[in-house]
């Protein structure tokens, strides 16, 4: 059984990822911590509640965390995900949010049950970086960390070489990757380039719509804006859903067909390169490795996991 803490900034692709985890027979979602990212914290927190309402779950607790990045001004992705993060559908939830800060709750849970829980990071890494500043031992307490983040050969989605989650808070990402390297631990990295090698065609998405379940109707509604953005602004019909790919790696580790372990460092300066995930591919320039970079997955299994989530 994979027991997950999910840190997230929904975003309809975060929602799809969490629905994949929720329906999986070998997965238990222990808690959801929320960060600002795709949109502001009020909306991202609401959106987790909306999803849990649709799933009719009354067990999973939700913890709100950081409302913005460490150093620089927030940069959201509402152009792709809508002002509310759910494609401007306006879904609201009245679900109560826990009073403990997300970073504190991470520390509590990972300390109470060392080496038992997997952390899945689907948004900017501000909450985890904050928790690390309070508890530097965290890398030794978390069983596995799977991150949706980065563009490991510089094919970005927010500037020419950076991926949104890292770009949104590079200082936080630096704190996290640096700490894991110093602890001699690896972070599993599911990056944007892996995402773009595992896109979902219009035809596949039409099959999801055709399921016509409550879950699929919800997903069709909240993803319509993002699908339009992809077609009209990005001029392509294949949709790249980053968080579901990362979640597949987290909940079925055997889905990974090829990965490489190297040192990954975050560019925090750079006129053109801020937020870039630079990788020491030849292992020449660093003494440690901190990243297990996923390069290939079983694409058929990914499709099955998404389908099962919406059925
Ligand atoms: C990541 O950025 C967000 O817009 C998505 O939710 C995903 O986590 C992809 O770069
Ligand atoms: Ca996300």
């Amino acid at each position: 059984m994979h027991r997950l803490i999910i840190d997230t900034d929904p975003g309809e692709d975060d929602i799809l990822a969490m629905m994949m985890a929720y329906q999986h027979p070998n997965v238990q979602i222990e808690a959801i911590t929320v960060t600002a990212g795709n949109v502001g914290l009020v909306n991202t927190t609401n959106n987790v509640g909306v999803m849990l309402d649709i799933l009719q779950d009354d067990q999973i607790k939700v913890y709100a965390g950081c409302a913005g990045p460490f150093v620089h001004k927030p940069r959201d992705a509402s152009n792709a995900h809508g002002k509310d993060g759910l494609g401007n559908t306006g879904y609201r939830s009245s679900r109560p949010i826990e009073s403990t800060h997300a970073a504190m709750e991470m520390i509590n849970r990972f300390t109470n049950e060392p080496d038992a829980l997997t952390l899945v990071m689907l948004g900017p890494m501000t909450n985890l970086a904050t928790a690390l500043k309070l508890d530097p031992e965290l890398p030794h307490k978390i069983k596995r960390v799977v991150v949706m983040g980065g563009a490991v050969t510089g094919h970005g989605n927010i500037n020419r070489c950076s991926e949104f989650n890292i770009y949104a808070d590079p200082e936080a990402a630096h704190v996290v990757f640096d700490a894991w390297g110093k602890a001699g631990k690896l972070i599993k990295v599911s990056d944007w380039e892996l995402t773009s090698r595992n896109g979902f065609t219009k035809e596949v998405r039409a099959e999801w719509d055709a399921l016509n379940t409550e879950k699929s109707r919800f997903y069709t509604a909240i993803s319509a804006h993002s699908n339009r953005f992809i077609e009209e602004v990005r001029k392509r019909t294949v949709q790249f859903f980053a968080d579901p790919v990362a979640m597949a790696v987290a909940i079925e580790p055997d889905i990974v067909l090829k990965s490489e372990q190297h040192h990954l460092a975050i560019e925090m300066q750079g006129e053109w390169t801020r937020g870039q995930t630079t990788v020491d591919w030849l292992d020449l320039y660093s003494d440690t490795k901190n990243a297990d970079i996923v390069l290939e997955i079983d694409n058929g299994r990914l499709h099955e996991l998404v389908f099962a989530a919406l059925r």
Side-chain angles (χ1 to χ4, degrees):
M1 178 67 71
H2 300 296
R3 300 173 59 207
L4 309 186
I5 308 287
I6 302 175
D7 191 72
T8 182
D9 65 332
E12 82 290 333
D13 67 325
D14 298 71
I15 299 277
L16 183 56
M18 289 189 280
M19 288 166 75
M20 288 162 63
Y22 191 82
Q23 66 75 37
H24 197 287
N26 293 333
V27 174
Q28 172 88 28
I29 302 178
E30 301 280 333
I32 297 176
T33 57
V34 192
T35 184
N38 280 321
V39 289
L41 186 68
V42 171
N43 276 314
T44 55
T45 306
N46 172 71
N47 296 346
V48 173
V50 168
M51 177 196 70
L52 293 174
D53 292 345
I54 295 283
L55 295 172
Q56 298 181 355
D57 180 276
D58 54 9
Q59 298 296 313
I60 299 173
K61 292 197 163 69
V62 182
Y63 301 84
C66 298
F70 268 18
V71 178
H72 289 267
K73 275 200 302 201
R75 161 84 188 256
D76 74 15
S78 56
N79 56 341
H81 303 279
K83 283 196 170 55
D84 62 359
L86 297 183
N88 298 326
T89 48
Y91 280 100
R92 305 306 303 169
S93 173
S94 53
R95 181 172 295 257
I97 302 304
E98 303 301 311
S99 56
T100 311
H101 190 279
M104 276 314 300
E105 190 59 23
M106 283 182 179
I107 294 170
N108 293 342
R109 294 202 180 228
F110 295 128
T111 302
N112 290 343
E113 291 189 90
D115 210 24
L117 304 171
T118 293
L119 176 61
V120 187
M121 302 287 299
L122 303 178
M125 303 177 88
T126 324
N127 285 339
L128 179 57
T130 303
L132 264 172
K133 286 291 174 194
L134 295 168
D135 182 356
E137 290 303 306
L138 275 182
H140 299 286
K141 298 178 180 176
I142 307 178
K143 189 175 177 189
R144 290 190 302 141
V145 181
V146 180
V147 163
M148 189 292 118
V152 295
T153 67
H155 295 69
N157 65 1
I158 186 78
N159 62 24
R160 59 186 69 192
C161 60
S162 309
E163 177 279 332
F164 176 80
N165 286 344
I166 304 294
Y167 179 88
D169 197 347
E171 285 75 18
H174 163 74
V175 166
V176 171
F177 278 97
D178 189 54
W180 254 256
K182 287 182 174 141
K185 300 269 180 183
L186 296 170
I187 292 174
K188 187 79 92 180
V189 175
S190 177
D191 81 324
W192 179 253
E193 296 167 22
L194 179 71
T195 303
S196 56
R197 289 192 293 276
N198 289 277
F200 296 92
T201 62
K202 224 175 162 167
E203 290 73 28
V204 166
R205 285 180 278 125
E207 286 174 26
W208 302 349
D209 297 347
L211 284 170
N212 201 19
T213 59
E214 187 179 1
K215 287 188 276 186
S216 81
R217 284 195 296 274
F218 170 61
Y219 198 70
T220 298
I222 64 173
S223 57
H225 179 281
S226 150
N227 290 339
R228 265 199 314 278
F229 172 81
I230 289 305
E231 284 183 24
E232 289 166 17
V233 181
R234 295 281 197 245
K235 306 286 182 213
R236 55 163 209 263
T237 53
V238 177
Q239 180 59 285
F240 299 155
F241 287 132
D243 295 332
V245 176
M247 186 59 83
V249 168
I251 63 181
E252 289 203 357
D254 290 347
I255 204 169
V256 176
L257 301 179
K258 186 177 172 202
S259 69
E260 286 189 26
Q261 303 181 351
H262 300 288
H263 187 267
L264 185 156
I266 310 296
E267 177 58 74
M268 287 176 285
Q269 312 295 326
E271 186 181 353
W272 304 102
T273 54
R274 183 170 153 76
Q276 183 169 2
T277 43
T278 68
V279 176
D280 184 3
W281 290 105
L282 300 178
D283 301 327
L284 289 176
Y285 308 104
S286 35
D287 300 330
T288 56
K289 296 181 179 182
N290 59 358
D292 187 7
I293 300 164
V294 181
L295 296 172
E296 192 182 334
I297 59 167
D298 178 344
N299 179 268
R301 188 64 192 136
L302 171 68
H303 281 249
E304 286 168 6
L305 289 170
V306 175
F307 210 72
L310 299 173
R311 204 164 26 221

